[in-house]
């Protein structure tokens, strides 16, 4: 299939409105079963353009579906990327309004901040470690715009990889102070351990996720500029939250992040 520009723009508006109006929608592949990967990323980039035109700043990138736990949970097998807009960012200890979301879930992630440009193809873990300024913990709040959080990979790419909010905090460290593969993560909901894992859950090494992002962006002649904040993807399965829930994620060597969900 080849969708014309007007259809790409119409689908971007449709999905962005679902986010802004907190209203779930049907998968776009229901109406466009032949849509291509490239067209789905075209829709995502058009949503990004719409936000920037409205004055929002893009403050980072994310990888998604980079761990077996996440791939199994969502029934898919290929990592994807999305962008982060300024209003997605919340500080450690934030009170998060569930009324601004459809059916949020939280994910424990490790984020990188770069100090040099990264570009593909051929970007590898070595390039990423050399270009990393520091690593910092991040908890993502995802919220698919698709009904019952059910989607296929192409639909979720168009929906900016379910990106909604993220909380950063804890302690930053340089990569030579960390063993990113064995770095342990424990997620607690209302004081009870609900998920746990280690950095290697993310493509064997979280830096591999950043390298994959650079290589995927190269397909669109894009790079990761110096100073970019990048979330590498959920280490564990995502956990649903309701008003009244509090989440604390404890990271080995990186301190912890907490947040509270309200109506
Ligand atoms: C897609 C986004 C996945 C992650 O960290 O794996 C993601 C989804 O599961 O809705 O952000
Ligand atoms: Mg995520």
């Amino acid at each position: 299939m080849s969708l014309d520009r007007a259809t790409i723009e119409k689908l971007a508006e449709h999905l962005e409105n679902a986010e802004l109006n907190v209203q779930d929608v049907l998968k776009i592949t229901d109406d466009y079963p032949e849509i291509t990967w490239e067209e789905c990323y075209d829709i995502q980039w058009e949503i990004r353009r719409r936000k920037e035109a409205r004055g929002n700043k893009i403050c980072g990138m994310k990888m998604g579906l980079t761990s077996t736990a996440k791939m199994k949970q969502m029934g898919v097998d290929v990592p994807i990327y999305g962008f982060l807009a300024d209003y997605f960012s919340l500080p450690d200890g934030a009170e998060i309004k569930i009324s601004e979301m459809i059916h949020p879930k939280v994910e424990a992630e490790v984020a990188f901040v770069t100090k040099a440009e990264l570009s593909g193809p051929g970007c590898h873990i070595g390039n990423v470690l050399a270009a990393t300024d520091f690593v910092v913990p991040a908890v993502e709040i995802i919220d698919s715009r698709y009904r019952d959080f059910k989607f296929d990979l192409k639909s979720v790419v168009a929906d900016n990889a379910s990106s909604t909010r993220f909380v950063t905090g804890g302690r930053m460290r340089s990569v030579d102070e960390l063993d990113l593969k064995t770095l342990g993560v424990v997620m607690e909901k209302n004081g009870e351990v609900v998920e746990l894992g280690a950095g290697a859950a993310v493509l064997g090494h979280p830096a591999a996720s950043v390298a994959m992002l650079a290589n995927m962006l190269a397909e669109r002649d894009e790079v990761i500029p110096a100073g970019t904040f990048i979330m590498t993807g959920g280490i564990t399965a995502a956990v649903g939250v309701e008003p009244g829930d509090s989440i604390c994620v404890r990271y080995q060597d990186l301190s912890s992040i907490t947040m509270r969900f309200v109506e």
Side-chain angles (χ1 to χ4, degrees):
M1 178 182 265
S2 111
L3 297 184
D4 59 18
R5 189 65 210 162
T7 308
I8 298 286
E9 286 170 12
K10 185 189 80 176
L11 289 169
E13 184 179 4
H14 169 67
L15 286 171
E16 203 205 8
N17 281 344
E19 178 219 327
L20 299 175
N21 301 332
V22 195
Q23 181 64 60
D24 63 2
V25 293
L26 298 178
K27 300 196 301 295
I28 57 167
T29 48
D30 290 356
D31 284 333
Y32 299 91
E34 310 282 306
I35 196 166
T36 65
W37 284 99
E38 204 187 341
E39 288 162 343
C40 289
Y41 275 111
D42 287 345
I43 295 169
Q44 182 189 125
W45 280 85
E46 173 59 17
I47 294 174
R48 174 177 172 147
R49 193 202 62 73
R50 290 173 64 86
K51 292 197 187 299
E52 288 189 284
R54 223 180 281 124
N56 290 129
K57 212 175 145 226
I58 303 307
C59 67
M61 295 294 290
K62 67 171 262 187
M63 287 292 283
L65 307 170
T66 49
S67 68
T68 317
K70 280 290 307 178
M71 289 189 211
K72 257 203 207 133
Q73 184 178 31
M74 304 321 298
V76 297
D77 56 4
V78 187
I80 58 176
Y81 69 80
F83 67 84
L84 305 172
D86 48 11
Y87 68 96
F88 297 2
S89 169
L90 298 170
D92 191 9
E95 192 173 83
I96 303 175
K97 290 200 179 72
I98 296 229
S99 56
E100 293 175 0
M101 298 165 202
I102 302 164
H103 37 208
K105 296 184 189 180
V106 295
E107 302 180 317
E109 310 206 7
V110 168
F112 286 59
V113 175
T114 59
K115 61 183 174 191
E117 182 181 290
L118 281 167
S119 62
C123 184
H124 55 68
I125 290 178
N127 303 130
V128 174
L129 295 178
T132 300
D133 194 356
F134 57 89
V135 169
V136 67
V139 176
E140 182 172 27
I141 297 103
I142 50 168
D143 189 33
S144 176
R145 266 54 70 170
Y146 297 118
R147 190 149 306 162
D148 302 326
F149 228 112
K150 292 217 171 67
F151 48 70
D152 48 43
L153 219 36
K154 285 178 179 166
S155 294
V156 71
V157 163
D159 183 29
N160 191 25
S162 308
S163 305
T164 300
R165 299 286 186 275
F166 65 91
V167 181
T168 45
R171 173 173 189 174
M172 63 188 243
R173 292 260 198 178
S174 63
V175 284
D176 55 6
E177 293 175 308
L178 294 170
D179 182 341
L180 283 160
K181 284 165 84 90
T182 60
L183 190 131
V185 169
V186 176
M187 186 192 286
E188 295 170 2
K189 179 168 147 179
N190 305 326
E192 234 176 79
V193 175
V194 284
E195 290 288 341
L196 48 92
V202 172
L203 297 173
H205 189 302
S209 174
V210 179
M212 186 180 271
L213 175 63
N215 293 327
M216 289 170 89
L217 289 174
E219 289 170 24
R220 298 183 73 101
D221 295 322
E222 299 278 351
V223 299
I224 304 175
T228 303
F229 171 83
I230 304 147
M231 293 197 297
T232 54
I235 290 171
T236 67
V239 173
V241 283
E242 289 178 8
D245 284 341
S246 60
I247 294 286
C248 172
V249 183
R250 300 177 194 278
Y251 291 81
Q252 183 178 8
D253 301 329
L254 297 174
S255 189
S256 59
I257 292 182
T258 62
M259 69 208 68
R260 206 155 49 82
F261 290 86
V262 295
E263 271 300 340

